[in-house]
Amino acid sequence: MNARLLPLLALLLATACQEPPAPPAPPPAPPPPAAKRYFAKPADGKLHVYFLDVGAGDAALIVSPEGHTVLIDTGPAASLNYLVNRLPELLATRLDLAILTHPAPDHYGALEAVQKVADMRRLLEPQLPGTAPEYDALLTALGTRGVEIFSPAPNPSHPNEPMRLPLGGGAELTVLWPRAPTEPLLAVEGAGHAANSIVLRLTYGETSVLFMGDARAETEALLLKRQEPLRAMLLKVGAHGAALATSAEFLQEVHPQAAILSLGTQGPPDLPAPDTLARLEAAKATVFRTDRDGEIHAVSDGKQFVLTPQRLPPGKSTLAEHVFVPEEEEAPLAVPLVAPSKPEPVKAPPVPAKTVSGKTREGEDLSRFGQVVDIDQLPKAERTSRQPAKPKATAATERYVASRKSDVFHVPECRNAKRISPENLITFRTREEAAKERRPARDCNP
C-alpha cells in the first residue's frame, strides 16, 4: 500500500469508531400560565353594582349577595388598561357572565382584554343581524376558548315569559328586550342595533335597577305598550343621555330616584342632551355622571340603596353617601288585606292603623290584632269610622307626617313625604305621637 495513503486510512478508521453526536436538546417547555389573581373580598350578603368609569362607553359590574358576577358591557378599547387593573380588585373568582347589550364598539371594545383577565364563563349577546366582521370574529374566538355564548330568546315552553337569570341570594336579572324569535326586532332607521339593545331589570328585595343599554324612545314605547315591569329605584340612562331616549312618558313609569349617566370627558359634546337632563330633573331623579363623579358604587341590602361616587364633590373633604329607599306610597303590601268570608260571632278588637294600612314589620304576627280588613271595601260611613283619626294640628305646629298606606313617619321636608297624596296624608304634632303607631323613615331618620 502506498505509504501516503496510510494517514488518511487511519483518520477514516478513527472517525468511524466514534459515537454519533447527540441530537440537539428540545426547547424548554413554556411555563404554565400564571393563575388568575383576584383580590375582592368574599360575598357579604349584599348586592353591589359598580358603574365603572370607562370614559365614552358603558360598563357595569354586578356582584350578587352570594358572590355571582355579571359584567354588563365592557366599554371601548381605550378602557382596557383601566379594566385590566380594576376588575381583579372587584372579582373574587372567574367572571360568571358577561352581557353585551348591542354590537357597538363603545360597549364591547375591551371584551378581549376582559376575557384575558376575568376568564368569563358565559356571554349573553342579542344576536342581531348585520354585525361587523370584527365583532363576529371576536365572538368566534371566544367560542373556541370555551366561552358559552347564547342569546335572550324566551323559553319555548313559556314563550310569554321573559328570560330570567337568577344570581343567588334573591337577586335576579330579567331580560325585558329583545324577545326574538318570539317577537320581531324593532326596525329603526339608522339605529336598529341600538333600538334592540338588551334591556335588563335587576331586582333584590325591595330594590331594583333598570339597565337601558343604548335603547331609543321607540324601545321605551314598546316596553310601555307591553306593560313591562319598568319601575326601578336606579336607572342606568339609555344612550348616554342622548335626546332621542329617556322620554317623559318612560320616566313617569320608571319613576327613578337616581339616574346614572356613563360619559367620558372626551366624549361627544352633545352628550348628555340638555333636554334629557331637564326631563330627569322634572322626574326628581338625582343624577350621577361618571365623567364628573367617577365610578359609582351602589350597595343594596334589599331594603335600600346606598350610592357612593368615587370623586369628592367640589368643596367637600369626605365622600358623600346617598341613601335611596323604596317609595313609601308604592311599597307592596306586606300582608294581603282580606275581608273575612263569615262574620265572627264575637266582635273583633279595633284594628290598629298599621294593620288597616296593610303594612307591618317583617315577621310580625297579626293574629293578636283580630280581623284584617280592607277599608276600601267598606261602606263610606264605616270606612271613616275605622280609619285612624287624623290629629288636629295647625300648619305652624305640624312637625311629622305619614301616609295611611305606610308604617313609617317623616318630617315634611323628606323626599318621600312630598310624594304622599293628600287623601292619604296624616299629620302628627310630636314625634312621640307619630312613634306610637309608626317607625321612623329610613330616608330622613326623623
Side-chain angles (χ1 to χ4, degrees):
M1 180 179 294
N2 191 329
R4 289 182 298 179
L5 297 177
L6 291 175
L8 178 60
L9 180 60
L11 178 62
L12 292 174
L13 290 173
T15 303
C17 293
Q18 290 180 354
E19 294 183 2
K36 302 292 182 183
R37 306 184 71 178
Y38 304 108
F39 308 103
K41 296 180 181 179
D44 60 1
K46 296 182 180 180
L47 174 69
H48 295 258
V49 184
Y50 300 87
F51 298 95
L52 301 172
D53 183 13
V54 292
D58 240 325
L61 178 70
I62 299 169
V63 181
S64 81
E66 293 185 354
H68 299 295
T69 51
V70 181
L71 180 66
I72 302 175
D73 289 324
T74 69
S79 66
L80 64 87
N81 288 333
Y82 165 79
L83 290 173
V84 163
N85 289 281
R86 184 59 176 141
L87 287 179
E89 297 174 346
L90 302 176
L91 297 173
T93 183
R94 293 177 62 186
L95 179 65
D96 291 304
L97 174 66
I99 298 176
L100 298 181
T101 57
H102 66 297
D106 61 329
H107 287 248
Y108 77 82
L111 178 61
E112 188 170 9
V114 166
Q115 168 59 12
K116 291 179 180 179
V117 71
D119 196 17
M120 75 188 76
R121 305 173 192 270
R122 308 175 73 200
L123 173 66
L124 175 66
E125 66 94 29
Q127 201 171 1
L128 302 177
T131 52
E134 55 269 22
Y135 178 80
D136 297 336
L138 178 58
L139 296 188
T140 300
L142 292 176
T144 59
R145 298 173 195 166
V147 179
E148 179 189 346
I149 301 175
F150 63 109
S151 60
N155 188 333
S157 59
H158 301 88
N160 295 324
E161 295 184 5
M163 173 182 281
R164 302 184 187 279
L165 303 170
L167 304 182
E172 184 178 71
L173 268 176
T174 302
V175 181
L176 302 181
W177 185 255
R179 292 174 49 81
T182 304
E183 294 184 32
L185 296 170
L186 281 170
V188 178
E189 186 177 357
H193 286 169
N196 291 293
S197 287
I198 293 179
V199 176
L200 302 157
R201 185 170 183 260
L202 173 65
T203 56
Y204 177 52
E206 300 175 33
T207 62
S208 52
V209 188
L210 190 63
F211 298 88
M212 293 302 295
D214 270 3
R216 299 297 200 254
E218 293 86 350
T219 320
E220 299 167 0
L222 176 66
L223 295 173
L224 291 170
K225 181 179 179 181
R226 289 177 47 82
Q227 298 184 337
E228 295 288 357
L230 299 176
R231 184 60 59 97
M233 292 176 64
L234 310 183
L235 171 64
K236 176 61 183 59
V237 178
H240 311 276
L244 39 70
T246 319
S247 65
E249 296 78 10
F250 173 74
L251 286 174
Q252 183 176 5
E253 183 62 29
V254 177
H255 204 60
Q257 297 185 41
I260 296 89
L261 287 155
S262 186
L263 301 162
T265 55
Q266 304 299 323
D270 58 340
L271 294 179
D275 289 349
T276 301
L277 294 177
R279 291 193 291 267
L280 290 170
E281 182 180 2
K284 299 180 180 179
T286 303
V287 174
F288 297 86
R289 301 171 49 153
T290 57
D291 63 336
R292 179 189 63 200
D293 303 312
E295 180 183 300
I296 298 150
H297 182 199
V299 184
S300 167
D301 60 0
K303 297 181 179 179
Q304 66 178 19
F305 257 118
V306 179
L307 268 65
T308 307
Q310 176 188 23
R311 296 179 190 144
L312 290 171
K316 301 292 183 180
S317 58
T318 58
L319 291 175
E321 289 187 346
H322 303 261
V323 181
F324 301 95
V325 299
E327 298 292 348
E328 307 293 350
E329 288 282 278
E330 303 297 333
L333 299 179
V335 178
L337 301 181
V338 181
S341 56
K342 295 181 180 180
E344 298 290 338
V346 180
K347 185 177 180 181
V351 183
K354 58 185 172 184
T355 57
V356 172
S357 69
K359 189 83 172 177
T360 65
R361 291 184 177 87
E362 185 176 356
E364 194 168 8
D365 183 8
L366 294 180
S367 60
R368 61 191 178 92
F369 293 137
Q371 298 174 351
V372 180
V373 182
D374 185 351
I375 60 175
D376 291 331
Q377 302 298 321
L378 297 174
K380 185 174 182 180
E382 187 177 359
R383 187 188 318 165
T384 303
S385 65
R386 292 200 181 214
Q387 289 180 349
K390 181 176 179 180
K392 296 180 180 179
T394 64
T397 61
E398 288 178 2
R399 295 188 58 194
Y400 299 93
V401 297
S403 167
R404 297 185 190 279
K405 294 184 178 181
S406 170
D407 70 340
V408 301
F409 65 91
H410 316 259
V411 292
E413 295 77 19
C414 277
R415 174 191 177 99
N416 285 331
K418 297 177 181 179
R419 298 179 183 273
I420 300 175
S421 55
E423 62 269 20
N424 291 324
L425 182 65
I426 302 173
T427 60
F428 303 94
R429 288 172 293 181
T430 66
R431 189 182 190 283
E432 290 72 20
E433 184 180 353
K436 288 180 181 179
E437 298 181 354
R438 287 165 169 78
R439 56 186 174 83
R442 292 189 299 267
D443 61 338
C444 53
N445 296 317

